[in-house]
Each structure stands twice: as C-alpha cells, then as structure tokens.
Amino acid sequence: AVVSTQSTGASIEALGYLVEDIDPAILVHKSDQILTAIINAMRKEEQNERVRAAGAQALFNALEFCKDQFDKTVERNYIMQVICEGTQTANIKLRVASLQCLSKCMSLYYKYMEHYMSQALFAITLSALDSPEDQIALQGIEFWS
C-alpha cells in the first residue's frame, strides 16, 4: 500500500516531538531505526518539502542521542550530506531547520566538524549570512556564535 505524503509528514513530525520529549538515554538503543526514518524523510529525493522540513526538525530534536552514529565516519558523512543538502533548497522552513541542525551538530559533535568546515560548512554559513531572508541570516549568525 502506498503511504500518503500527508501521513508520512505527520508521522515524521510526531517522531520529532517524541524524540524531543523523551530522555535520550531511553531512545539510544533505537537510535539507528529512528535516525533512518528521519534521514529518509530529509533526503533530497523526497519530493514533498513538508516531509523534508519535518525530517529536519525531527533530526534537530534527535541529534543528542546520535553519538554512536557520529562516531562512525560513513554514517556521520551521510547525515552531514543530507543536512547540507537541506540548506540548499528554496524552501525557507527546510533551510532554517537544516541550518539549525548544523549549529547543533557543531555544538554537540565539534570534534568531528573540522573536516566539514572547509568542504561545505564555511560556504553554507556565509551564504546564509548573506541571505535576504532574516530567518536564514539569523541561523548563519547562530552558527558562528
């Protein structure tokens, strides 16, 4: 059966609220499954921008219990790739949420971020600072503060 985009978006949004409100220590043993659902929703191949934005917001809420995934280079690279792709969309809500994820990644996983700074984060955040959209520019400032 084909799952509707509306129910997918609502499910990812609900997942985002759950991971925000539940102690990360409780969720850590299911972090792979939770993160897979969230990242799949965020991927650029997802046609619905509402689903992608819900995924980015859910990821923002889930990042605190993703240490195991960030400790693995391949998984970390994929998470960062998907987040960075979210910053390149025309959808403001998705861009803002993706930029918020970058700031939180920098805060939580600083030791891993040097590699990404020269490859993408510097250019992404400078572009955000130059954005005519206040919400996006604010996230560029937040990243550097």
Side-chain angles (χ1 to χ4, degrees), residues 105-122:
C105 285
M106 184 61 84
S107 172
L108 293 171
Y109 306 110
Y110 182 80
K111 67 182 179 180
Y112 298 122
M113 293 297 117
E114 182 179 351
H115 169 73
Y116 304 102
M117 283 303 297
S118 60
Q119 288 190 345
L121 301 185
F122 188 74

Side-chain angles (χ1 to χ4, degrees), residues 73-91:
T73 304
V74 172
E75 291 184 36
R76 180 178 64 247
N77 285 345
Y78 189 65
I79 294 167
M80 293 302 293
Q81 174 189 331
V82 171
I83 294 171
C84 289
E85 288 169 354
T87 68
Q88 302 304 300
T89 182
N91 181 295

Side-chain angles (χ1 to χ4, degrees), residues 15 19 23-39 58-59 61-72 75 79 109:
L15 187 57
V19 299
D23 182 352
I26 295 170
L27 297 172
V28 74
H29 70 284
K30 292 290 186 183
S31 62
D32 281 333
Q33 294 93 335
I34 293 169
L35 199 56
T36 296
I38 291 170
I39 292 295
L59 180 62
N61 294 336
L63 281 170
E64 290 188 30
F65 68 81
C66 296
K67 183 188 178 310
D68 289 346
Q69 290 79 11
F70 270 81
D71 286 342
K72 300 171 189 160
E75 291 184 36
I79 294 167
Y109 306 110

Side-chain angles (χ1 to χ4, degrees), residues 84-102:
C84 289
E85 288 169 354
T87 68
Q88 302 304 300
T89 182
N91 181 295
I92 293 172
K93 187 174 180 179
L94 175 55
R95 283 182 72 188
V96 168
S98 297
L99 287 162
Q100 288 172 331
C101 285
L102 288 182

